[in-house]
Amino acid sequence: MLKFHNTLSGQVEEFRPLNEGEVRMYYCGPTVWDYGHIGNFRSAIYTDLLSRYLRYKGYRVTHVMNITDIEDRIIALSQKNGVTIDEYTAKYIEALWEDFDALGCARPDIVPRATRHIPEMVSLIERLEERGHAYRSDDSVYYRINSFPDYGKLSKINFAGNIVGASERVDTDKYDKEDARDFALWKGAESPDEPAWDTPLGRGRPGWHIECSAMSMKYLGETFDIHAGGIDLVFPHHENEIAQSEGATGRQFARYWIHYEHLKVNGESMSKSKGNYYTFRDVRERGFSPVAVRYFLFSVPYRKQLNFTFDALRGAEKTVEGLRDFRLRLKETRTEPGLNPTLHETTERALKDFEAGLDDDLNTSVALASLHNLARDVNTAIDHHAVREDNKREILNLLDRINTVLNIFEDEPSAMLDAEVQSLINERQEARRRRDFARADEIRDQLATRGITLEDTKDGVRWKRR
Ligand code: AMP
Ligand code: ZN
């Protein structure tokens, strides 16, 4: 029985989709103002794992992830660079897919972009006006929070008092709002050179929250099964999505709300000013393999904070290598016909434990423990020539099955980019200059496991791929 923690009820609940055998899910995806950081990818990878596991369980899944390609930072940066917002975001959208591919995240089935759904947002705002949930002030349109008595049901914040903060990411206090909590659905254009659309609501651009209500309902229907995102989105973003969608339709919006705890770095929130902010690309350039990053990011259950350190990532690199070596070793083991019944039981138990872990609110640490136990037992069995032909086939099949969810096995290590190799070589040279030979050797070994050999010549270091 599959169970999830539903933020809406505050409890772990049995998962039952609206239509039998079918799951419709929406994930609040990236704002493409920069390369994705490792925290963003923790959420993206967990969403990938979720949709893969639902498919593993036999559901037909429609997985939608939006791309926020209009917001204040994007506007400011595109203006600074003298390009259109589309030109500005193109680079980061392309980078997003490169990162997704490297990290083994399947592309979501539908990836709507905010700028391509302005008419849908406008008509949703018009519906809200008709039902008394929205009002115009100056050239903007606001959501009237007073008109929606359920406001606060997701975040459990008591709104009896006057809580400011439900407004947009960047507040527009200069406009007249009926209530400080009210948030912008549509922002009237203030100057002729800012990106804006001419619509029945006037010239302007959408607020951030309306985008997700409009696009999720367009592709998944007014009521759908799962809405996911990082924990930072519970309030105000998701609270506002509920107010918008349920205010417009009078029906339940998403049925299960899944929120991922944040990734921290050395125990602190990432921030560029603190110098503890890493994109996935930064981490790759330090020579870590994408699969180790993937493994690391899903290794801690999603409702726990994950603390990122390079030491922990080095640990993940070793762990994944160990698992991959185990699989290759098994593949190459010579076996006699027949079945070893003890090992057969071990295999069945591993599968059961793996599923029981993920069924229990995607508890990846239990699921991964089952895999490590299996690897340990099978490695011992190989040492004792106790693996028979049928065991080998059965275990390899099991690993393939598990891998449809985890996506960490691959026969060949993924090729390193030249830039990654070069940056490691530079770091090794630097280590040698400091006479830190342990680090220098570590880098040489790290490169060797990725198929790169080094040759120290009098003209410097040459490298080649094996
Ligand atoms: P953004 O690009 O900020 O719109 O975020 C994209 C997704 O990443 C959202 O689902 C966020 O909730 C999530 N997210 C942002 N920061 C973190 C973090 N430090 N850890 C985990 N998820 C995050
Ligand atoms: Zn959203």
Side-chain angles (χ1 to χ4, degrees):
M1 185 172 77
L2 182 56
K3 289 184 284 179
F4 296 129
H5 179 271
N6 187 349
T7 311
L8 194 57
S9 65
Q11 279 170 357
V12 177
E13 293 175 30
E14 182 184 350
F15 175 66
R16 287 169 183 271
L18 204 55
N19 299 333
E20 212 185 305
E22 185 196 346
V23 180
R24 287 171 288 151
M25 59 182 269
Y26 185 89
Y27 165 65
C28 282
T31 307
V32 283
W33 68 289
D34 195 358
Y35 298 114
H37 63 60
I38 49 177
N40 296 142
F41 286 114
R42 183 191 196 200
S43 291
I45 284 173
Y46 237 105
T47 306
D48 180 61
L49 191 92
L50 168 64
S51 70
R52 285 171 181 272
Y53 192 56
L54 290 165
R55 289 196 167 107
Y56 174 102
K57 300 281 280 186
Y59 291 109
R60 268 176 295 123
V61 178
T62 308
H63 172 189
V64 179
M65 175 183 89
N66 69 301
I67 288 185
T68 301
D69 58 354
I70 169 114
E71 55 88 77
D72 293 337
R73 286 168 301 187
I74 292 174
I75 295 171
L77 287 163
S78 58
Q79 285 178 342
K80 195 174 143 202
N81 288 286
V83 293
T84 64
I85 50 170
D86 267 9
E87 284 163 348
Y88 180 80
T89 57
K91 169 176 161 193
Y92 296 108
I93 293 175
E94 202 178 303
L96 176 76
W97 296 131
E98 281 170 18
D99 292 354
F100 257 59
D101 290 349
L103 286 165
C105 291
R107 308 259 174 122
D109 304 296
I110 305 171
V111 188
R113 293 171 59 169
T115 52
R116 309 300 194 258
H117 293 79
I118 305 294
E120 287 85 345
M121 296 183 222
V122 169
S123 65
L124 186 57
I125 295 171
E126 287 173 336
R127 269 170 95 180
L128 287 168
E129 281 188 310
E130 279 159 28
R131 295 178 65 123
H133 292 298
Y135 61 93
R136 300 190 188 209
S137 173
D138 293 335
D139 293 326
S140 296
V141 187
Y142 293 96
Y143 192 94
R144 180 180 286 120
I145 288 187
N146 263 337
S147 70
F148 189 71
D150 273 351
Y151 196 79
K153 71 176 172 181
L154 183 73
S155 55
K156 323 281 186 275
I157 295 174
N158 179 3
F159 290 96
N162 201 12
I163 291 180
V164 183
S167 41
E168 262 293 324
R169 268 184 177 176
V170 174
D171 208 344
T172 46
D173 271 330
K174 46 190 176 291
Y175 298 118
D176 270 341
K177 292 191 268 178
E178 291 177 0
D179 185 325
R181 300 176 306 166
D182 291 349
F183 60 89
L185 296 165
W186 185 258
K187 299 171 168 183
E190 288 174 51
S191 73
D193 54 322
E194 75 184 44
W197 286 262
D198 288 308
T199 74
L201 301 172
R203 183 168 173 75
R205 64 187 157 93
W208 168 41
H209 313 298
I210 197 71
E211 132 190 8
C212 286
S213 280
M215 299 195 297
S216 60
M217 293 197 295
K218 169 167 182 177
Y219 294 105
L220 298 174
E222 293 182 349
T223 304
F224 57 90
D225 299 299
I226 299 177
H227 196 312
I231 191 89
D232 57 309
L233 301 184
V234 174
F235 180 81
H237 185 52
H238 290 161
E239 199 71 74
N240 290 352
E241 279 188 45
I242 292 175
Q244 294 164 154
S245 294
E246 299 191 356
T249 68
R251 299 205 200 145
Q252 181 168 28
F253 177 47
R255 301 169 60 244
Y256 296 84
W257 290 85
I258 295 181
H259 290 105
Y260 313 114
E261 263 300 338
H262 264 196
L263 173 134
K264 303 267 165 143
V265 174
N266 296 319
E268 288 192 89
S269 292
M270 267 194 288
S271 88
K272 287 194 175 174
S273 58
K274 277 190 230 151
N276 67 350
Y277 181 99
Y278 299 106
T279 65
F280 165 57
R281 285 162 186 247
D282 296 333
V283 171
R284 254 192 117 169
E285 269 170 29
R286 291 184 180 223
F288 291 98
S289 65
V291 67
V293 179
R294 177 179 176 87
Y295 182 94
F296 176 72
L297 290 178
F298 68 43
S299 60
V300 170
Y302 75 90
R303 291 188 62 221
K304 292 203 174 126
Q305 270 182 14
L306 172 65
N307 191 33
F308 176 90
T309 63
F310 283 106
D311 270 349
L313 190 53
R314 263 187 281 281
E317 188 90 64
K318 290 223 167 73
T319 306
V320 172
E321 264 167 38
L323 288 171
R324 287 181 160 194
D325 287 349
F326 147 64
R327 178 165 167 273
L328 290 180
R329 183 173 182 224
L330 178 64
K331 268 182 111 167
E332 282 157 16
T333 299
R334 289 223 203 108
T335 52
E336 308 270 318
L339 179 79
N340 171 340
T342 317
L343 203 50
H344 171 69
E345 266 173 41
T346 305
T347 312
E348 296 211 309
R349 187 164 13 87
L351 180 64
K352 254 175 93 193
D353 292 349
F354 176 79
E355 293 181 355
L358 293 183
D359 280 349
D360 181 14
D361 197 22
L362 300 175
N363 191 328
T364 41
S365 54
V366 170
L368 291 172
S370 77
L371 182 56
H372 292 297
N373 290 339
L374 179 74
R376 187 199 54 218
D377 292 350
V378 174
N379 271 325
T380 310
I382 296 174
D383 293 340
H384 295 92
H385 308 286
V387 182
R388 297 297 197 85
E389 203 173 294
D390 292 348
N391 294 115
K392 176 172 164 176
R393 194 178 44 241
E394 183 177 76
I395 299 164
L396 288 172
N397 280 341
L398 169 82
L399 294 177
D400 284 347
R401 254 184 99 183
I402 285 181
N403 201 44
T404 64
V405 182
L406 301 183
N407 200 18
I408 55 171
F409 292 122
E410 190 181 53
D411 283 322
E412 297 297 327
S414 63
M416 275 182 122
L417 302 175
D418 287 2
E420 294 176 84
V421 176
Q422 198 52 55
S423 110
L424 276 180
I425 289 177
N426 295 345
E427 198 193 327
R428 178 167 167 269
Q429 295 297 80
E430 188 45 47
R432 288 170 62 157
R433 230 166 279 139
R434 296 196 303 272
R435 308 192 67 76
D436 181 355
F437 296 112
R439 176 69 189 137
D441 288 348
E442 192 180 83
I443 292 171
R444 176 188 278 274
D445 293 348
Q446 197 176 349
L447 286 166
T449 55
R450 305 284 304 277
I452 308 287
T453 49
L454 302 184
E455 196 190 330
D456 293 304
T457 72
K458 61 178 187 329
D459 304 322
V461 181
R462 273 207 221 115
W463 62 271
K464 58 173 189 276
R465 294 176 200 279
R466 244 188 279 124

